[in-house]
Each structure stands twice: as structure tokens, then as C-alpha cells.
Amino acid sequence: MTTRLRVLDDGAWISVNDSREVRVSELWRVDAPDLCECALADLVVENFQSVGVDASTVEARVYGQCIACGEAGTTGWIPLGQVRGGEFVEFDRSAVRRVRR
């Protein structure tokens, strides 16, 4: 089954199968040692740079800022959710997201 992934509205939304699923302005707990020196970054997502899929996991590279230390930049691939039975299921927003390089 094919899954259509797109970044919409100048990086404000991730569309999965023509449905807006994930938006910017979220606060994510991220294990992102390449972004900042915090053990876990409290990342305010400001812009989606690109979107992709690894097996059934939908991932994105995002630009954001750690609210704890102020460091800003673009991350590696962060998992957003999975496609199950043709439907997108977002990961729990309170879970720690581990960046894949």
C-alpha cells in the first residue's frame, strides 16, 4: 500500500494520505544530542523541513528551539507515528522521541 507524505503550508503541517496530521507549535521531549547539550531537549517545533518513511514509521526533520537552553537548529529524523492498516497513528505526544541520524 502506498502512503502519500507531504509537508504543507511552508512547513507548518505534515500531511499523511492527504490529511493534515501533525502541526508545528508542539512541544516535544527529544533525545537530540546533535541539537543541544540538554539530556532531553524540550523542543518547540517551528518548521518541518522534510518528511519520510522508514518501514512503517513516518519521520520528519524539523527546525526548532530547545526552550531549556535556547539552542535552535534542524534535527535528524524524528519519529512521528506509524501507518497501520493504511491509517496514520501518531505516537504519544508526551513520549520521548529519539532522533535518528
Side-chain angles (χ1 to χ4, degrees):
M1 174 175 268
T2 301
T3 301
R4 291 177 304 281
L5 301 173
R6 295 187 314 163
V7 175
L8 300 176
D9 299 334
D10 295 324
W13 286 91
I14 297 292
S15 169
V16 181
N17 291 331
D18 300 323
S19 177
R20 292 171 190 245
E21 297 289 350
V22 185
R23 65 180 173 87
V24 295
S25 301
E26 298 280 336
L27 180 63
W28 294 349
R29 298 281 289 169
V30 179
D31 181 4
D34 290 344
L35 179 69
C36 68
E37 294 182 12
C38 295
L40 291 175
D42 289 316
L43 183 72
V44 174
V45 178
E46 297 178 7
N47 185 271
F48 293 107
Q49 300 291 302
S50 56
V51 65
V53 65
D54 181 25
S56 64
T57 301
V58 176
E59 303 174 314
R61 292 184 56 125
V62 305
Y63 179 85
Q65 182 174 15
C66 177
I67 62 171
C69 70
E71 193 69 37
T74 301
T75 68
W77 292 100
I78 297 178
L80 305 177
Q82 290 186 323
V83 177
R84 296 186 194 144
E87 298 293 321
F88 177 74
V89 178
E90 188 174 359
F91 291 140
D92 181 359
R93 291 182 182 172
S94 66
V96 173
R97 298 170 190 248
R98 307 228 186 276
V99 174
R100 183 176 66 84
R101 295 168 204 211

